Amino acid sequence: MESDVWNEQVAQDYDASSAHMYASEVLGPTVNFLAQRAGRGPALEFAIGTGRVALALRARGVPVAGIELSEPMAAELRKKPGSGDIPVSIGDMTSTTAPGEFSLVYLIYNAITCLLTQDQQVECFRNAAKHLQPGGRFVIEVFVPQLQRLPPGETARPFHVGERHLGFDTFDLVNQRLVSHHYWIADGAARTFHSPHRFVWPSELDLMAKLAGLDLRERWADWNQTPFTADSTSHVSVWQKPHG
């Protein structure tokens, strides 16, 4: 995971560029789903970022802690009301330890793909399992690779084309990598952001969970618990640590 990608400029602009993720129809089902799986908590968010979900979950009465690699992102979180109730450990989510045990560990908005090797993704699962109490759950939200939509011989695919934003992914199919390219145009100026990712299949994540001693319990297409099918473009999956 490359901390220099999530620098001060990106952190300061992050909430504005992700404003659609704060919409009640997006954030509401996310928090409802996580609160139900956390029970009385506490919960731990890997890659807590600027606290979009953590603050809302804490407001629901679930104690929340976080791990975050980027100090600038964590600094943005600390500026927000309620952040004083959310302890954040700075470090890599593959190895950093937060104090205590948790009923829920969660990693959302495709953040598992920010780990750029299979080994790192496996270690993320192991670190999650280490933090879970018996019976605790690990939840991941991530896109399903849309390689079937990539025309033969092509390596780039647009994912958003708008008046003020253009986004497309470039694929390295051999190494299971992609780079997301964002271009924002406003007031006669252009701003860019490029983030590398390792895309990963649901079945591969299930194997990573097995290696960490976790068992698949749920898989949905979204936070509204829409059934997951072959046509789903994303999934929300829940793995559980065995009781005792």
Side-chain angles (χ1 to χ4, degrees):
M1 192 170 183
E2 300 183 7
S3 59
D4 58 341
V5 172
W6 307 100
N7 57 37
E8 186 172 350
Q9 179 181 347
V10 171
Q12 291 175 350
D13 294 338
Y14 185 79
D15 285 349
S17 65
S18 302
H20 62 289
M21 299 300 292
Y22 284 84
S24 59
E25 63 269 23
V26 176
L27 187 55
T30 305
V31 173
N32 289 339
F33 187 101
L34 293 173
Q36 290 169 6
R37 274 68 184 176
R40 296 181 179 178
L44 174 64
E45 181 171 355
F46 282 180
I48 194 172
T50 62
R52 175 179 67 95
V53 172
L55 288 166
L57 188 59
R58 183 68 187 90
R60 286 282 297 271
V62 178
V64 181
I67 292 176
E68 175 56 49
L69 179 64
S70 167
E71 179 63 52
M73 294 287 278
E76 292 300 309
L77 167 58
R78 295 188 191 107
K79 296 176 183 178
K80 298 179 179 179
S83 61
D85 296 329
I86 301 177
V88 177
S89 302
I90 300 299
D92 194 313
M93 61 186 170
T94 65
S95 58
T96 300
T97 300
E101 285 190 330
F102 300 86
S103 65
L104 175 72
V105 177
Y106 63 97
L107 177 59
I108 58 176
Y109 202 13
N110 307 316
I112 186 68
T113 68
C114 294
L115 300 172
L116 299 181
T117 70
Q118 186 181 69
D119 286 346
Q120 289 176 334
Q121 291 174 346
V122 169
E123 288 306 311
C124 179
F125 271 82
R126 287 179 169 149
N127 198 28
K130 182 176 67 174
H131 283 89
L132 287 172
Q133 61 193 34
R137 294 170 172 84
F138 183 34
V139 177
I140 283 182
E141 174 199 23
V142 66
F143 64 86
V144 176
Q146 297 296 293
L147 301 189
Q148 72 271 29
R149 299 187 180 184
L150 197 64
E154 297 291 330
T155 59
R157 178 178 177 271
F159 58 83
H160 183 262
V161 178
E163 292 184 2
R164 295 182 176 274
H165 175 260
L166 169 66
F168 64 92
D169 292 327
T170 53
F171 291 84
D172 175 354
L173 301 180
V174 172
N175 295 301
Q176 210 164 310
R177 296 279 191 91
L178 65 84
V179 176
S180 290
H181 306 262
H182 296 264
Y183 298 87
W184 291 273
I185 301 173
D187 302 322
R191 180 166 54 88
T192 65
F193 175 63
H194 310 287
S195 60
H197 303 268
R198 180 185 187 269
F199 58 85
V200 59
W201 304 97
S203 57
E204 188 180 5
L205 292 171
D206 289 342
L207 181 56
M208 294 178 185
K210 283 289 185 184
L211 293 173
L214 305 176
D215 299 316
L216 179 67
R217 289 290 179 257
E218 303 175 62
R219 174 159 291 138
W220 307 99
D222 54 38
W223 296 109
N224 290 306
Q225 301 184 59
T226 304
F228 180 78
T229 71
D231 297 323
S232 298
T233 58
S234 64
H235 65 99
V236 176
S237 295
V238 182
W239 298 271
Q240 189 172 32
K241 188 173 184 175
H243 293 270

